[in-house]
Amino acid sequence: MLPHFSYIRPETGSEAMSQLSDPESFVLAGGTDLLGCLRERIFPVRKLVSINGLAQFHGITETEDGGVRIGALTTITEVETHPLIQNRFPGLARGASEVASPQLRNQGTIGGNLCQKPRCWYYRGEFDCLRKGGSQCFAAEGQNQFHCIFGGDGICFIVHPSDTAPPLIALNASAVIAGPKGKKRQVPLEKFHVLPADDLHKETVLNPDEMVTEILIPPPPPRTRSTYRKVRARRAWDFSLAGVALAVHIEDNKVVNSRVVLSGAAPVPWRSKAVEDVIQDRELNSKTIADAAQAVVEGAEPLEHNQYKLPLFQGVMEEELLALTNQA
Amino acid sequence: MKNDSVYYLKDITAPETPEPGENPSPWTNTTIIGKRLPRVDAYERTSGSALYPSDLLLPNMVYGAVLRCPHPHARVKRVNTRPAEGIKGVLTIITGTTPEADVWWRNEDGYRSKLFDPHCHYEGEAVAAVAALDPYTAQDAVKVIQVEYEVLPYIIDEERALDSDAPRVHPKGNLVDTESYERGDVDQGFAQADVVRERPFHTRCEIHTPMELHGCVAEWKGDTLTLHESTQGVYAVQAKVAEALRLPLSRVRVSGRYMGGGFGSKLKAGKYTVISAILARKTARPVKLVLTREETYLAVGNRPSSHMTLKAGVKKDGTLTALQFTCTGTGGAYPAGGVALVDWLIRDLYTCPSVKTECRDVFINAGPARPFRAPGHPQGSWALEQMMDELAEALHMDPVDLRLKNIPTVSQGRTGQPAYTSTGLKECIESGAQSFGWKAARQRNKSSNTGTLRRGVGMGGCVWFVGGGGPPSTIIVKLFKDGSVNLNMGASDIGTGTKTIMAMVVAEELGVKLKNIQIENADTGTTQYATPSGGSKTVPTESPAVRNAAIHIKQKLMEMAAEELDCDFEDLEFEGDEIIVSSRKEQRIKITDIPKLKKQGVIVGVGYRGPNPENKSVNPFGAQFCEVEVNTRTGEVRILRFLGAHDSGRVMNRLTYDNQVFGGITMGIGFALTEFRVLDTGQTGKMVNRNWHDYKLPTALDVPADMKSLPIELDDPEANNTGAKGLGEPVTIPTAAAIANAIYDATGIRITETPAFVPHLITRLNDLAKEG
């Protein structure tokens, strides 16, 4: 069933990094996504490097500037329930709570959640699709009801499956990435995921010999509210049909700053600058909200079977902005 | 004095024992039947000690796997097994050219094919199989077998299957059959109507997804084959396998004491059963072959999709005048009841003098259907119950009142229109509506539905086509000399609690404690012939025979006691753990003290299922009510509460009864809101959502915590001697339609195509908003 692979469980970070130099090696954290990919033989795997022995990549701590550091191995449940996250970044806690099912949240990690492979049924199925090195994107003309409306660029129409990435991006978080020979780099999560037009064969900027070690969330500006709302076909264990993460800073009833990120919309968590621009410096009244709902689907390129996502995103955007004003 | 005898509970009066040859009258009072009792095998099932076929490990057992055709229509030109032969641990490979596997497989209606037929009519058809030392090697080996296919044009769209340019699934063409029914004169009926409505309805293909996968363990001992199969009917599996392998029935033993659900998809053997038997013979070792979940999505059944049109006429006072119904459906690549019973509710549920139906069953290149919990009924209900609501609205009538206006007492759809032995349809609707608070909820929602979260209520009624059971059934009950009991029956307990209910029948008659009853069931080698557990007939079929067997034991006991006490049979009665002489109460004998019982060690009681009443129809009825909340901004539907009021005659065990009601509603929620097969139309023709993530079963959060089961328990002495009717299927019939009606009540949007989920609803809500 599974391909033959070697399994290594390093005890130090540097050992883990050196093991990753093999191009067909993969990081194993919670394994909730990777094991399925192995079973379906979505991509070749020669070596699994389990990082579960590396305690330093686990846990949630407050940083000196009032932000938060989340180790990549921290489980989704821990993110969902940690008081620091719940109090300071409720949008992220909400996003984590919307992931999959309790069992999967207990097992899955935040690092893994950001690095998920696409859930497109052609990609996961017995189809020699473009992203897997084939000659055709089957979703383009096929059963594309759960596919993207932005960013497919006529190439590949996956949606990014993460529910934690949109709130993290809304909160301006970044990923700390470890590379070979002790190299480290920090990448804003907004620039972490890769569109098909930029590279069809990868979903993140990670090189094969790199891995995410932690997530950094800067301290939220005062009076910033973060939320996440997800609509799906069933109420648990399901990916987003349409979701919206908001981090909105309101002063004197006006939007001073906002970051709006969509799930279920694009091959990457999709930052909706159009909505941000529309609500900038405005009061969140019904006119603004209606304009935002129009803006959220601006430039969308729906496929044959996913046109419903246009009114759906409009509805979700309207509901979420309205909920913000009701909180005020 | 402490009663340490195994036999007889204290304070239990055993029902009167009829004389030999006399039929027992229905119970008047019961002490055990009807109680809320946990399953007799609850500990085994929950602790994991119950041995399901998938759990079985036999000495030297090896594992099978099946290679399946990846195309919806193809011809196998060449199979190269060499790459698989080289894998360590592979023991044997069988293909269409293996002599031992050159076996005919009989489909319905004379459509024969080979076990490994070179002409593959659907994705998932078996092409070859492997036995290997472990299941992983077997799967790996299957993957490296090279098959050269001639890929053929295919048709997967049932609405286009009869087009002249449609590729042919079989040489005779794509029409399986057209079934027609007519009574009265619909044209006249529509002319008499004050309101006539017509509307198309569509339901999508739903897949059985039992917890335990399809599969079996095959083992040869000499020339005798033993199969441990996850099945609803061991005798049905025995017959199919014996036919395929040309063996006498006596040399095929099938056992399936535990099985993890079937919902109709395990009523008979699969090709996998025969394949495992052949692999076991070739390897001379037991072979376990359990399909993968993906395989079960393709090859072992589904509920056919349906494209229906229903036209209905009604008078101002709510009297139905005519119903006209057409349906196109498909059972896939072989005849498999693609439109079976889809029109039954239109024919039978509500009083209507003129009815005309025409159902066309067509072939497509997709996996064959198998009966799925109330075949045809939820589909027909989806159309009929929505249409009833539409008529009620046009008449400004309450939907409940419209239905109550049209309650039949005879089975109109049957030849000769026989009366039902009992019908609780009216009581189900009336008491259900009252218990649900129907009128108040309608009023409340009407006045408060102004925001973006809209509430609505909906309901639907139902009858199930059969559900009365009937012969044959033979039951053997053994009473040991200490008073403990062995119950021997052929029927499978498919998860509904059959074993528990039958033990309760024995306990009721003999007064013996449940824990002192050992049950031997579902094994062709050791138990009597039984028809498969399906059709909601297991309780009404088996329980009367069990009761007869228990009574037979009592009769024998009394005959022994009469001899011992030197009196007449008629003068004896049971009292506690003793038999007493009615006229001389001081004369009594403890059952376990009867010398003849002590000497022979056991009394064998045999019970048969008697015939059903002539010229009468035995059917269960029901009505379900629900309240939903629709988010008009997003199209999300939340089910707030459900109530199932079901007339299934006598409630045998209230706990398993409620379980059936809740389970049926849950399954109906899946049919209504989340489940549908997706085929890659226009491209590969393959099924794209063949796993538990992409094929969405409802989760605990999709099912309301507020679910109520309201038994409408009517006496039905004519049905059979326990008065029980079937329950497992009616409970899922009106669920989806009730939800659709509630969505309409909440939003004014009629969802005529399943599933009623966000993509459909948001589109309609958006259109509605645009219209203003």
Side-chain angles (χ1 to χ4, degrees):
Chain A
M1 300 284 283
L2 301 180
H4 288 276
F5 56 84
S6 56
Y7 172 85
I8 289 151
R9 188 178 156 109
E11 288 177 2
T12 66
S14 57
E15 193 194 338
M17 296 323 298
S18 68
Q19 291 292 352
L20 285 177
S21 58
D22 184 338
E24 288 181 2
S25 62
F26 282 79
V27 174
L28 172 67
T32 57
D33 189 29
L34 184 57
L35 286 178
C37 290
L38 292 182
R39 185 177 178 273
E40 306 297 338
R41 306 205 182 193
I42 307 296
F43 39 77
V45 176
R46 272 227 303 262
K47 188 198 287 181
L48 290 192
V49 182
S50 166
I51 56 169
N52 288 289
L54 306 176
Q56 67 269 35
F57 297 147
H58 181 265
I60 299 172
T61 48
E62 194 170 1
T63 55
E64 277 173 19
D65 60 359
V68 155
R69 167 197 175 278
I70 308 175
L73 269 183
T74 310
T75 68
I76 304 296
T77 300
E78 289 167 312
V79 174
E80 174 191 352
T81 56
H82 199 282
L84 264 179
I85 307 291
Q86 289 193 334
N87 295 333
R88 247 171 251 181
F89 309 106
L92 175 59
R94 185 61 197 252
S97 79
E98 299 278 353
V99 172
S101 65
Q103 297 91 330
L104 289 163
R105 292 197 291 274
N106 288 339
Q107 177 68 20
T109 65
I110 186 82
N113 192 264
L114 298 174
C115 299
Q116 285 175 84
K117 301 304 277 185
R119 281 284 164 183
C120 168
W121 47 32
Y122 293 108
Y123 177 74
R124 297 267 174 162
E126 294 170 353
F127 302 89
D128 190 18
C129 88
L130 208 53
R131 181 168 288 271
K132 286 191 289 193
S135 58
Q136 180 190 356
C137 169
F138 291 87
E141 303 286 322
Q143 295 300 309
N144 47 35
Q145 45 268 58
F146 300 126
H147 290 75
C148 72
I149 56 170
F150 289 110
D153 293 326
I155 306 167
C156 166
F157 299 94
I158 60 166
V159 289
H160 198 272
S162 177
D163 288 316
T164 60
L168 281 169
I169 293 167
L171 292 164
N172 210 4
S174 42
V176 177
I177 296 171
K181 298 178 188 134
K183 271 189 236 162
K184 260 192 181 188
R185 59 179 176 135
Q186 193 172 328
V187 176
L189 276 178
E190 191 188 342
K191 303 212 181 322
F192 180 72
H193 295 97
V194 175
L195 281 167
D198 294 330
D199 188 339
L200 177 59
H201 300 296
K202 56 198 280 191
E203 292 78 36
T204 71
V205 298
L206 289 176
N207 294 316
D209 56 359
E210 289 184 314
M211 71 172 179
V212 176
T213 57
E214 59 192 50
I215 318 295
L216 295 171
I217 316 178
R223 284 181 289 283
T224 295
R225 291 189 211 109
S226 68
T227 61
Y228 181 65
R229 168 78 158 95
K230 172 180 174 182
V231 177
R232 46 187 161 186
R234 66 177 169 193
R235 293 168 63 81
W237 192 27
D238 206 1
F239 293 93
S240 177
L241 294 176
V244 177
L246 295 177
V248 185
H249 176 186
I250 298 175
E251 297 246 11
D252 299 331
N253 281 331
K254 282 193 178 156
V255 175
V256 178
N257 190 23
S258 73
R259 290 169 70 91
V260 177
V261 187
L262 312 180
S263 64
V268 299
W270 189 254
R271 186 156 171 205
S272 180
K273 290 244 172 62
V275 171
E276 293 173 12
D277 291 345
V278 160
I279 64 175
Q280 182 67 35
D281 298 326
R282 287 173 71 182
E283 194 184 329
L284 286 181
N285 55 27
S286 54
K287 174 76 174 80
T288 309
I289 291 174
D291 291 346
Q294 281 308 310
V296 72
V297 293
E298 217 169 77
E301 292 176 321
L303 302 162
E304 188 185 350
H305 301 294
N306 70 1
Q307 315 232 357
Y308 71 89
K309 286 198 174 186
L310 305 187
L312 180 57
F313 270 108
Q314 292 180 320
V316 176
M317 185 52 69
E318 194 178 285
E319 188 180 282
E320 283 305 277
L321 289 175
L322 208 63
L324 269 191
T325 63
N326 291 342
Q327 272 177 37
Chain B
M1 200 183 80
K2 191 172 165 276
N3 184 357
D4 55 0
S5 157
V6 176
Y7 193 67
Y8 269 96
L9 281 172
K10 259 186 155 179
D11 309 320
I12 286 189
T13 322
E16 206 165 297
T17 311
E19 288 189 41
E22 256 181 39
N23 287 326
S25 49
W27 294 304
T28 43
N29 299 307
T30 59
T31 44
I32 294 163
I33 288 295
K35 277 199 171 156
R36 193 180 279 277
L37 292 180
R39 292 166 196 239
V40 291
D41 54 4
Y43 179 79
E44 287 78 0
R45 285 180 187 271
T46 51
S47 66
S49 57
L51 214 55
Y52 291 78
S54 318
D55 298 326
L56 204 61
L57 292 172
L58 297 178
N60 296 319
M61 188 174 85
V62 296
Y63 297 83
V66 180
L67 171 64
R68 294 181 182 277
C69 176
H71 308 289
H73 198 189
R75 198 175 289 280
V76 175
K77 294 177 74 180
R78 215 168 54 85
V79 181
N80 178 12
T81 58
R82 184 129 335 141
E85 287 159 18
I87 295 179
K88 198 178 158 211
V90 171
L91 299 176
T92 193
I93 301 168
I94 56 175
T95 71
T97 56
T98 309
E100 296 93 324
D102 186 14
V103 164
W104 283 106
W105 183 259
R106 189 170 54 82
N107 301 287
E108 306 293 321
D109 295 351
Y111 281 80
R112 276 207 315 177
S113 57
K114 282 289 172 74
L115 185 66
F116 298 118
D117 203 288
H119 188 171
C120 298
H121 294 85
Y122 61 94
E123 184 195 11
E125 182 59 288
V127 173
V130 171
L133 290 177
D134 65 77
Y136 315 107
T137 304
Q139 289 290 346
D140 288 347
V142 151
K143 284 197 179 72
V144 299
I145 294 173
Q146 293 167 347
V147 185
E148 198 183 311
Y149 292 102
E150 179 193 353
V151 177
L152 302 170
Y154 69 87
I155 175 91
I156 52 170
D157 179 352
E158 58 268 30
E159 285 189 297
R160 291 193 40 242
L162 298 180
D163 289 358
S164 55
D165 59 347
R168 289 186 166 207
V169 179
H170 294 285
K172 281 190 222 161
N174 293 340
L175 181 67
V176 184
D177 201 5
T178 302
E179 293 170 18
S180 307
Y181 169 82
E182 193 168 2
R183 73 168 178 259
D185 181 339
V186 285
D187 293 333
Q188 203 187 329
F190 289 127
Q192 289 164 351
D194 294 310
V195 170
V196 175
R197 290 286 184 273
E198 184 171 6
R199 196 180 274 282
F201 295 92
H202 176 32
T203 60
R204 302 283 295 268
C205 175
E206 189 187 15
I207 313 267
H208 309 78
T209 44
M211 284 295 283
E212 186 182 31
L213 295 159
H214 291 64
C216 72
V217 177
E219 182 188 17
W220 289 88
K221 281 180 184 152
D223 286 337
T224 299
L225 171 66
T226 299
L227 290 161
H228 304 270
E229 168 120 348
S230 179
T231 180
Q232 296 175 236
V234 288
Y235 278 93
V237 171
Q238 181 198 37
K240 184 87 185 169
V241 172
E243 177 197 273
L245 295 179
R246 295 163 177 271
L247 290 169
L249 291 170
S250 61
R251 294 229 313 265
V252 181
R253 176 178 174 184
V254 182
S255 167
R257 291 167 196 210
Y258 284 97
M259 62 88 69
F263 307 108
S265 70
K266 294 179 185 167
L267 286 167
K268 55 186 180 188
K271 279 190 172 180
Y272 57 86
T273 320
V274 174
I275 289 170
S276 63
I278 295 170
L279 290 174
R281 186 145 62 182
K282 280 209 79 186
T283 55
R285 295 170 78 160
V287 170
K288 178 187 272 190
L289 201 175
V290 178
L291 304 195
T292 61
R293 182 63 65 186
E294 290 87 344
E295 290 177 274
T296 68
Y297 274 100
L298 296 174
V300 289
N302 55 65
R303 182 191 295 286
S305 57
S306 61
H307 298 267
M308 306 172 278
T309 304
L310 180 60
K311 184 178 178 185
V314 67
K315 286 187 182 168
K316 272 188 195 137
D317 68 353
T319 311
L320 286 173
T321 59
L323 292 167
Q324 187 166 4
F325 177 78
T326 62
C327 174
T328 299
T330 175
Y334 285 97
V339 293
L341 299 175
V342 175
D343 65 347
W344 186 253
L345 295 175
I346 287 93
R347 286 160 63 167
D348 208 59
L349 181 59
Y350 297 117
T351 307
C352 186
S354 298
V355 175
K356 190 174 177 183
T357 70
E358 189 178 279
C359 299
R360 282 189 313 187
D361 189 359
V362 300
F363 289 122
I364 61 167
N365 293 108
R370 287 192 183 184
F372 192 152
R373 203 172 190 172
H377 286 54
Q379 299 98 301
S381 171
W382 180 255
L384 176 63
E385 294 298 339
Q386 292 210 60
M387 179 53 75
M388 290 297 281
D389 266 33
E390 191 169 346
L391 296 178
E393 189 185 28
L395 296 172
H396 306 289
M397 255 180 114
D398 188 304
V400 162
D401 296 335
L402 176 63
R403 287 168 177 86
L404 288 174
K405 184 85 190 166
N406 296 285
I407 304 285
T409 55
V410 299
S411 179
Q412 303 163 90
R414 286 185 163 79
T415 311
Q417 303 206 336
Y420 302 116
T421 51
S422 63
T423 167
L425 181 60
K426 179 166 174 282
E427 287 82 349
C428 290
I429 295 173
E430 275 178 352
S431 304
Q434 193 178 12
S435 174
F436 181 81
W438 171 261
K439 284 204 190 299
R442 264 170 72 85
Q443 282 309 319
R444 188 173 63 235
N445 292 335
K446 272 209 182 76
S447 54
S448 64
N449 262 349
T450 50
T452 51
L453 293 180
R454 303 266 173 97
R455 290 188 173 193
V457 291
M459 57 84 59
C462 71
V463 61
W464 163 232
F465 176 62
V466 282
S473 165
T474 306
I475 298 287
I476 291 178
V477 173
K478 286 190 266 184
L479 176 76
F480 296 108
K481 62 182 177 184
D482 66 349
S484 63
V485 167
N486 168 288
L487 164 63
N488 182 302
M489 66 172 175
S492 304
D493 184 341
I494 57 174
T496 55
T498 305
K499 286 199 293 190
T500 307
I501 288 171
M502 299 314 150
M504 288 167 74
V505 172
V506 171
E508 183 73 45
E509 279 298 333
L510 294 176
V512 69
K513 292 172 187 167
L514 283 178
K515 66 169 182 157
N516 290 329
I517 301 171
Q518 186 257 328
I519 300 167
E520 180 76 19
N521 80 309
D523 187 330
T524 63
T526 59
T527 65
Q528 317 318 308
Y529 182 81
T531 48
S533 295
S536 301
K537 65 156 181 48
T538 312
V539 168
T541 294
E542 309 298 336
S543 69
V546 172
R547 189 174 175 214
N548 287 340
I551 288 170
H552 189 207
I553 284 187
K554 291 204 297 188
Q555 289 167 340
K556 286 189 167 182
L557 277 173
M558 282 162 82
E559 280 167 7
M560 289 177 185
E563 206 174 296
E564 191 62 28
L565 299 172
D566 195 22
C567 61
D568 289 338
F569 184 102
E570 303 91 76
D571 204 14
L572 292 175
E573 59 184 275
F574 278 79
E575 191 184 281
D577 59 352
E578 295 175 323
I579 293 174
I580 65 166
V581 183
S582 317
S583 54
R584 292 168 283 154
K585 299 249 173 186
E586 68 286 357
Q587 260 197 296
R588 53 178 64 209
I589 187 162
K590 221 172 148 178
I591 280 142
T592 47
D593 288 341
I594 297 174
K596 201 166 176 187
L597 173 58
K598 283 168 120 175
K599 189 175 168 207
Q600 68 184 49
V602 67
I603 293 180
V604 177
V606 183
Y608 300 98
R609 174 60 158 89
N612 283 341
E614 275 176 43
N615 306 320
K616 288 271 177 91
S617 188
V618 186
N619 300 97
F621 296 84
Q624 292 182 356
F625 300 79
C626 71
E627 183 157 14
V628 305
E629 184 178 84
V630 182
N631 182 333
T632 56
R633 281 206 182 92
T634 60
E636 290 162 292
V637 176
R638 211 173 75 159
I639 298 173
L640 302 172
R641 62 193 179 109
F642 237 102
L643 180 140
H646 286 273
D647 155 34
S648 289
R650 186 188 297 277
V651 176
M652 301 295 279
N653 176 341
R654 183 62 198 271
L655 196 57
T656 58
Y657 183 100
D658 289 354
N659 261 325
Q660 286 300 306
V661 175
F662 300 150
I665 289 172
T666 300
M667 206 166 217
I669 288 173
F671 183 57
L673 298 185
T674 61
E675 294 182 49
F676 55 105
R677 176 176 76 182
V678 184
L679 299 177
D680 190 25
T681 310
Q683 298 190 121
T684 61
K686 289 163 72 67
M687 180 178 175
V688 297
N689 59 340
R690 62 179 74 167
N691 59 61
W692 265 1
H693 160 242
D694 288 316
Y695 183 90
K696 296 177 201 303
L697 295 168
T699 65
L701 292 182
D702 297 290
V703 177
D706 184 355
M707 278 211 274
K708 213 177 196 178
S709 158
L710 180 74
I712 303 297
E713 196 170 8
L714 302 181
D715 287 339
D716 195 339
E718 284 184 278
N720 59 65
N721 71 33
T722 60
K725 301 191 282 189
L727 178 67
E729 283 161 296
V731 290
T732 204
I733 293 171
T735 311
I739 293 169
N741 283 338
I743 291 171
Y744 180 82
D745 188 45
T747 62
I749 289 171
R750 196 152 279 298
I751 297 289
T752 55
E753 177 181 347
T754 65
F757 73 152
V758 167
H760 288 166
L761 266 151
I762 187 66
T763 307
R764 297 284 303 280
L765 285 160
N766 190 47
D767 293 346
L768 196 71
K770 274 191 207 147
E771 288 162 17

